[in-house]
Amino acid sequence: EFRKKSKWLKLIQSHIEEMLPEVYELQQLGVLSPVEGKSVIKTRTDFEYKMRRRISKKQDFLRFIDYELKLEKLKETRILQLGVNDVSEGVRYRSLQRIHFIFQKCLRKYKNDVPLWIRYIKYCKQVSSTRSLGLAYVEALKHNPSCIQLWIMSAKNEMEVNKNVSAARSIFLQALKFNKDSVEFMDRVLPTGSF
């Protein structure tokens, strides 16, 4: 028990240390004030502890995601307002990676939460994370094969975004295999033949 706690304390410390250069750079550029920088570190640290509790709550993950999304929006707005051009790629991508990480950690715990998968899929589309989007569809369908909406979204993505008719057809056939007795599948997909 002590060894386990020690391990996750080290992990939290490591995550805190990883975020410091990003926060310091934003402070140096004037995007965050020193007070805001401290607040970001404290808030993220608190959320890290909540995520690692033995009995973590879905609400904690969702609050952390919402916090990071608001912070990202604030950063983007200030960077534009200040006309800051020399923000490093690391700063731009670390927060996106953090949001992906929180979503994925939450989804590992709540695999059957379809609205949560859909929210993550929409986020992947919004930030143009095509690789994460593809993986999200695979994982979402693996854990929720009877959810017609996810099959439709996945096939539409292949057809409309990736322009891959063959992949869309393959998804359609997999959906049929898992949902051959589903009235919803027959009503929503088969009459029109479209996803």
Side-chain angles (χ1 to χ4, degrees):
E1 186 64 36
F2 174 76
R3 213 178 277 170
K4 213 182 240 184
K5 193 171 185 181
S6 173
K7 190 178 176 183
W8 67 256
L9 284 173
K10 282 180 186 171
L11 199 60
I12 290 170
Q13 189 60 40
S14 159
H15 283 202
I16 293 163
E17 286 168 11
E18 283 171 17
M19 78 174 85
L20 293 177
E22 172 197 355
V23 173
Y24 290 146
E25 183 178 336
L26 291 168
Q27 284 178 203
Q28 286 175 335
L29 294 168
V31 176
L32 293 177
S33 72
V35 172
E36 288 171 324
K38 279 183 184 174
S39 173
V40 167
I41 291 166
K42 184 187 180 322
T43 304
R44 283 179 174 167
T45 303
D46 291 345
F47 276 124
E48 285 283 346
Y49 277 104
K50 286 177 182 173
M51 275 198 330
R52 306 241 183 265
R53 287 191 295 214
R54 189 180 300 165
I55 305 170
S56 53
K57 298 173 187 162
K58 185 167 77 169
Q59 212 50 43
D60 291 330
F61 288 98
L62 297 178
R63 284 190 188 111
F64 197 4
I65 291 165
D66 289 337
Y67 173 79
E68 287 295 337
L69 290 171
K70 285 177 190 162
L71 182 61
E72 186 59 26
K73 199 169 189 177
L74 175 72
K75 283 181 346 194
E76 285 175 13
T77 303
R78 287 192 182 167
I79 286 168
L80 282 173
Q81 285 172 346
L82 296 166
V84 177
N85 296 318
D86 51 351
V87 179
S88 72
E89 289 299 305
V91 165
R92 291 192 186 276
Y93 290 106
R94 266 189 222 113
S95 56
L96 297 179
Q97 287 173 328
R98 188 175 297 107
I99 295 166
H100 279 292
F101 172 77
I102 302 162
F103 264 118
Q104 290 163 2
K105 188 158 178 55
C106 185
L107 285 162
R108 276 194 297 274
K109 192 166 183 169
Y110 302 99
K111 296 176 175 83
N112 303 111
D113 189 326
V114 172
L116 184 59
W117 278 111
I118 290 170
R119 185 175 177 196
Y120 180 50
I121 286 164
K122 285 179 180 174
Y123 174 73
C124 290
K125 285 181 180 180
Q126 181 190 330
V127 296
S128 303
S129 292
T130 50
R131 186 173 177 276
S132 295
L133 177 63
L135 292 171
Y137 277 125
V138 168
E139 286 297 307
L141 289 167
K142 182 168 91 176
H143 299 294
N144 303 280
S146 62
C147 180
I148 306 304
Q149 183 181 6
L150 285 172
W151 288 107
I152 291 171
M153 288 171 68
S154 179
K156 268 189 178 176
N157 183 66
E158 286 299 339
M159 185 82 91
E160 296 169 6
V161 178
N162 298 336
K163 308 290 184 214
N164 190 336
V165 177
S166 173
R169 189 176 298 120
S170 174
I171 290 166
F172 171 80
L173 292 172
Q174 282 182 297
L176 185 60
K177 184 174 115 180
F178 283 106
N179 298 283
K180 60 182 178 234
D181 298 325
S182 166
V183 174
E184 182 188 3
F185 180 77
M186 300 304 169
D187 287 348
R188 286 182 69 181
V189 180
L190 290 183
T192 60
S194 70
F195 273 106

